[in-house]
Amino acid sequence: GEISKEELISVIDDPEALIVLDSLQVNISQFIEYQEMLYEDPEAEHSIGDIMEQILSSRGHLPCTVMHLTNMQKYLRWAIMSDLSNHLLRQQNALQDIREKVDDLAKHLFPERG
């Protein structure tokens, strides 16, 4: 079957599930951060098998493998690009606000032009 982000969150929020994940030494915060990338699209669904594999690979006592490094690189690339996109959007909005204020000021100072 498939699992949505909402379904996964409800599982992670379950106290009994947290006890099981803790007993498996799953790094919950790292797992949740990685899910933010996988579920960036709100309509996304992932197979239960894939989620289980991610849970098991998020156990803190595991030795680091190439797969772990590749997944971390993928996550870091996504996180940086996501932050840059958000920053760019904020800057564009700020510039639009400045343009509107300059236009309003110009209309006030030079009413004959506008």
Side-chain angles (χ1 to χ4, degrees), residues 85-103:
S85 294
N86 290 334
H87 180 71
L88 178 61
L89 183 60
R90 287 191 307 274
Q91 293 302 313
Q92 289 171 333
N93 290 338
L95 284 174
Q96 183 62 35
D97 289 344
I98 291 170
R99 281 188 198 106
E100 291 170 5
K101 289 177 183 177
V102 168
D103 288 346

Side-chain angles (χ1 to χ4, degrees), residues 18-48:
L18 287 174
I19 291 170
V20 171
L21 293 172
D22 187 55
S23 72
L24 293 171
Q25 298 178 1
V26 173
N27 183 332
I28 301 291
S29 61
Q30 181 267 331
F31 174 73
I32 291 171
E33 287 177 355
Y34 194 73
Q35 298 316 302
E36 289 300 318
M37 176 184 68
L38 294 179
Y39 285 101
E40 185 174 27
D41 175 3
E43 302 299 317
E45 291 191 347
H46 295 281
S47 74
I48 294 171

Side-chain angles (χ1 to χ4, degrees), residues 8-113:
L8 182 60
I9 289 171
S10 70
V11 169
I12 292 173
D13 285 343
D14 182 273
E16 290 181 30
L18 287 174
I19 291 170
V20 171
L21 293 172
D22 187 55
S23 72
L24 293 171
Q25 298 178 1
V26 173
N27 183 332
I28 301 291
S29 61
Q30 181 267 331
F31 174 73
I32 291 171
E33 287 177 355
Y34 194 73
Q35 298 316 302
E36 289 300 318
M37 176 184 68
L38 294 179
Y39 285 101
E40 185 174 27
D41 175 3
E43 302 299 317
E45 291 191 347
H46 295 281
S47 74
I48 294 171
D50 287 346
I51 298 298
M52 292 303 297
E53 185 177 315
Q54 291 166 21
I55 288 171
L56 294 175
S57 71
S58 296
R59 293 175 293 164
H61 70 283
L62 293 177
C64 186
T65 65
V66 172
M67 180 190 73
H68 292 115
L69 294 174
T70 302
N71 286 343
M72 182 55 65
Q73 181 183 30
K74 181 179 176 182
Y75 171 75
L76 288 174
R77 187 179 313 117
W78 171 83
I80 290 168
M81 293 304 294
S82 181
D83 285 349
L84 285 173
S85 294
N86 290 334
H87 180 71
L88 178 61
L89 183 60
R90 287 191 307 274
Q91 293 302 313
Q92 289 171 333
N93 290 338
L95 284 174
Q96 183 62 35
D97 289 344
I98 291 170
R99 281 188 198 106
E100 291 170 5
K101 289 177 183 177
V102 168
D103 288 346
D104 289 344
L105 181 61
K107 288 176 188 174
H108 179 71
L109 293 175
F110 309 106
E112 66 279 355
R113 290 187 184 176

